[in-house]
């Protein structure tokens, strides 16, 4: 058997490799090796989650941001971004519509500081009060531990905070001086300790990224053992300093999804919007390679074009939470089933 496939078998059995071995998997795999990893990942996901695909209604609560991440279209110094923040009423309307459409997880995502803490807490409480059988996920960036604790106490179930890169120097190349790798990692530790189902993640093909960095990302996922992990290709945004950088690779993203599934068999792993933006069949390819979550857009139509993290981000048509029937058909066509369920992390036994 081929070397890379033998190593993939070891990962499948032990859920752990050295950083050097992860780097080898990344550097030396070919298409056939990726297909092999996908077949193992698909089988592992079926053992834990069957053919169920969980959907999350994504509410983009605002694009006002205090941070200045070099890659992101809603960074503070992008003067061209048309800023907005949803009102509590608008957020509740989104959740109501989502609930009617069969969504049982609502993800409130936004730029940092779009909503003051008090309003974050109010919205979590309101949604949990109206829809006690739904989960609330937050993806609102970095806070101090007591703020995260308050969000948890208000009823939030999950928190997504991509680590972006597990290499400190690489982190510094993607973020301005005021932002620190240590703080982001501290946040992830706090979230987990508080009791959130916690998600980390990174962009594939972000500027300056090497196979060594990706190997460190995989090792970090192995050690941190998150309940969720969001990865998607980097896509340049025209009003950022990375405007001329190439986009990340769809096929590498899909291969990494398979490896992450093998590292954490029961992880909740989305086929992300960025993947769907670069490839119209990205969602399907991600699911076939081990992903089991899709996060359609529930934001009010009029703000969707404003939440532009990268160029040409899809937000209507297939990507829309309103197209649920269509999504169901597409998943059925590849042998999967979109379910109306909270879709919590399943502990392995
Ligand atoms: N502000 C919040 C969440 C919003 S950004 C936070 O800091 O967590 C959500 C994710 O979008 C980021 O974590 C990043 O990985 C991704 N993202 C941002 N800009 C991107 C780009 N140009 N291409 C692809 N993904 C991007």
């Amino acid at each position: 058997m081929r070397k890379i496939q033998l190593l993939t078998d070891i990962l499948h059995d032990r859920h752990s490799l050295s950083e050097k071995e992860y780097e080898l998997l990344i550097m030396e795999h070919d298409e056939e090796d990726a297909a092999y990893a996908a077949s193992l990942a698909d089988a592992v996901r079926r053992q834990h989650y069957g053919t169920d695909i969980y959907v999350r209604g994504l509410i983009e609560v605002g694009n006002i941001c205090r941070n200045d991440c070099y890659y992101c279209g809603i960074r503070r110094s992008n003067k061209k971004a048309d800023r907005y923040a949803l009102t509590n009423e608008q957020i509740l309307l989104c959740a109501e519509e989502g609930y009617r459409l069969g969504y049982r997880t609502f993800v409130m995502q936004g730029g940092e500081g779009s909503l003051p803490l008090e309003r974050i807490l109010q919205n979590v409480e309101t949604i949990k009060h109206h829809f006690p059988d739904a989960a609330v996920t937050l993806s609102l960036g970095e806070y101090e531990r007591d703020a995260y604790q308050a969000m948890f106490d208000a009823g939030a179930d999950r928190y997504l905070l991509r680590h972006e890169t597990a290499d400190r120097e690489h982190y510094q190349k993607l973020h301005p001086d005021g932002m620190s790798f240590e703080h982001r990692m501290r946040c992830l530790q706090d979230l987990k300790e508080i009791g959130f189902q916690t998600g980390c993640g990174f962009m594939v093909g972000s500027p300056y990224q090497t196979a060594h960095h990706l190997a460190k990302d995989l090792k970090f996922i192995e050690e941190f053992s998150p309940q969720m992990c969001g990865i998607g290709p980097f896509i340049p945004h025209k009003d950022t300093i990375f405007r001329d950088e190439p986009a990340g690779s769809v096929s590498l993203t899909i291969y990494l999804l398979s490896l992450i599934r093998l590292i954490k068999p029961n992880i909740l792993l989305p086929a992300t919007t960025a993947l769907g933006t670069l490839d119209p069949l990205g969602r399907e390819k991600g699911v076939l390679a081990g992903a089991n979550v899709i996060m359609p857009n529930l934001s009010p139509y009029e703000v969707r074009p404003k939440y532009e993290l990268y160029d040409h981000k899809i937000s209507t048509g297939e990507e829309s939470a309103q197209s649920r029937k269509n999504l169901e058909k597409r998943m059925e066509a590849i042998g999967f089933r979109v379910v109306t369920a909270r879709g919590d992390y399943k502990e392995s036994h």
Side-chain angles (χ1 to χ4, degrees):
M1 214 183 183
R2 301 155 60 129
K3 182 170 86 182
I4 292 300
Q5 297 184 13
L6 279 174
L7 210 49
T8 309
D9 280 339
I10 296 174
L11 181 61
H12 171 266
D13 295 341
R14 301 195 196 144
H15 316 298
S16 173
L17 291 176
S18 69
E19 229 170 78
K20 262 280 83 43
E21 288 168 324
Y22 283 129
E23 199 173 327
L24 257 169
L25 284 182
I26 293 160
M27 294 283 286
E28 296 195 9
H29 75 282
D30 62 15
E31 247 173 70
E32 209 178 301
D33 300 322
Y36 183 73
S39 69
L40 293 186
D42 181 45
V44 164
R45 183 263 327 275
R46 281 169 202 264
Q47 279 163 22
H48 291 268
Y49 292 103
T51 53
D52 288 357
I53 298 299
Y54 301 125
V55 284
R56 323 297 197 194
L58 182 63
I59 307 173
E60 295 158 337
V61 296
N63 67 354
I64 299 166
C65 196
R66 70 170 81 97
N67 279 335
D68 215 17
C69 310
Y70 295 151
Y71 43 84
C72 184
I74 64 169
R75 57 195 299 249
R76 185 186 62 217
S77 61
N78 179 9
K79 299 283 178 279
K80 292 194 182 150
D82 182 7
R83 306 287 172 173
Y84 76 92
L86 299 184
T87 64
N88 291 6
E89 292 69 30
Q90 282 177 304
I91 294 171
L92 181 59
L93 280 173
C94 290
E96 277 170 354
E97 181 178 17
Y99 194 89
R100 266 200 308 278
L101 290 164
Y103 293 85
R104 293 296 178 269
T105 291
F106 302 112
V107 182
M108 284 197 261
Q109 189 184 82
E112 265 181 47
S114 279
L115 303 184
L117 179 61
E118 210 40 52
R119 283 197 51 214
I120 296 173
L121 304 182
Q122 287 163 1
N123 282 292
V124 172
E125 280 164 9
T126 307
I127 294 177
K128 294 298 283 194
H129 173 76
H130 282 78
F131 312 108
D133 58 334
V136 170
T137 303
L138 299 177
S139 178
L140 299 166
E142 298 179 30
Y143 284 86
E144 295 310 310
R145 187 180 177 120
D146 50 352
Y148 285 145
Q149 184 69 55
M151 297 177 204
F152 187 75
D153 294 342
D157 302 274
R158 312 185 188 127
Y159 205 104
L160 299 173
L161 184 76
R162 291 186 175 183
H163 63 286
E164 310 298 358
T165 169
D167 182 271
R168 177 181 296 100
E169 276 157 37
H170 186 216
Y171 189 91
Q172 284 168 351
K173 291 185 177 160
L174 300 177
H175 301 93
D177 280 349
M179 295 182 70
S180 99
F181 175 73
E182 283 71 25
H183 192 259
R184 199 141 184 112
M185 288 300 188
R186 177 73 252 156
C187 287
L188 280 167
Q189 292 295 343
D190 285 342
L191 289 163
K192 201 150 179 252
E193 283 168 23
I194 287 168
F196 283 104
Q197 292 174 48
T198 303
C200 64
F202 58 91
M203 292 175 287
V204 178
S206 59
Y208 309 108
Q209 186 180 64
T210 63
H212 176 63
H213 295 146
L214 287 171
K216 286 178 90 166
D217 287 320
L218 295 181
K219 194 67 190 171
F220 172 68
I221 291 164
E222 180 195 311
E223 289 172 352
F224 181 62
S225 195
Q227 284 85 18
M228 311 175 282
C229 181
I231 70 165
F234 161 76
I235 304 174
H237 185 286
K238 59 185 180 317
D239 300 318
T240 65
I241 55 172
F242 291 151
R243 67 180 68 88
D244 295 323
E245 297 288 330
S249 145
V250 168
S251 59
L252 181 57
T253 305
I254 288 166
Y255 178 57
L256 290 166
L257 284 172
S258 299
L259 298 185
I260 293 168
R261 171 65 62 198
L262 296 178
I263 294 171
K264 283 274 305 176
N266 49 350
I267 200 165
L268 294 164
L269 194 60
T272 54
T273 308
L275 192 58
T277 294
L278 280 192
D279 183 337
L281 290 176
R283 289 314 188 34
E284 278 90 342
K285 291 179 185 170
V287 165
L288 288 167
N292 65 334
V293 173
I294 294 184
M295 299 166 66
N297 198 323
L298 250 189
S299 311
Y301 275 93
E302 64 274 18
V303 306
R304 289 186 192 184
K306 300 181 187 177
Y307 197 78
E308 195 188 46
L309 305 178
Y310 43 81
D311 288 341
H312 313 300
K313 177 169 163 279
I314 49 173
S315 65
T316 54
E318 300 287 287
E319 175 51 29
S320 186
Q322 285 75 7
S323 310
R324 180 167 167 140
K325 282 274 165 299
N326 209 342
L327 181 64
E328 284 171 10
K329 274 196 223 124
R330 286 178 58 166
M331 288 298 127
E332 274 163 26
I334 55 168
F336 291 83
R337 196 168 64 108
V338 173
V339 295
T340 295
R342 275 175 55 117
D344 285 297
Y345 175 76
K346 291 186 183 165
E347 293 293 343
S348 46
H349 303 289

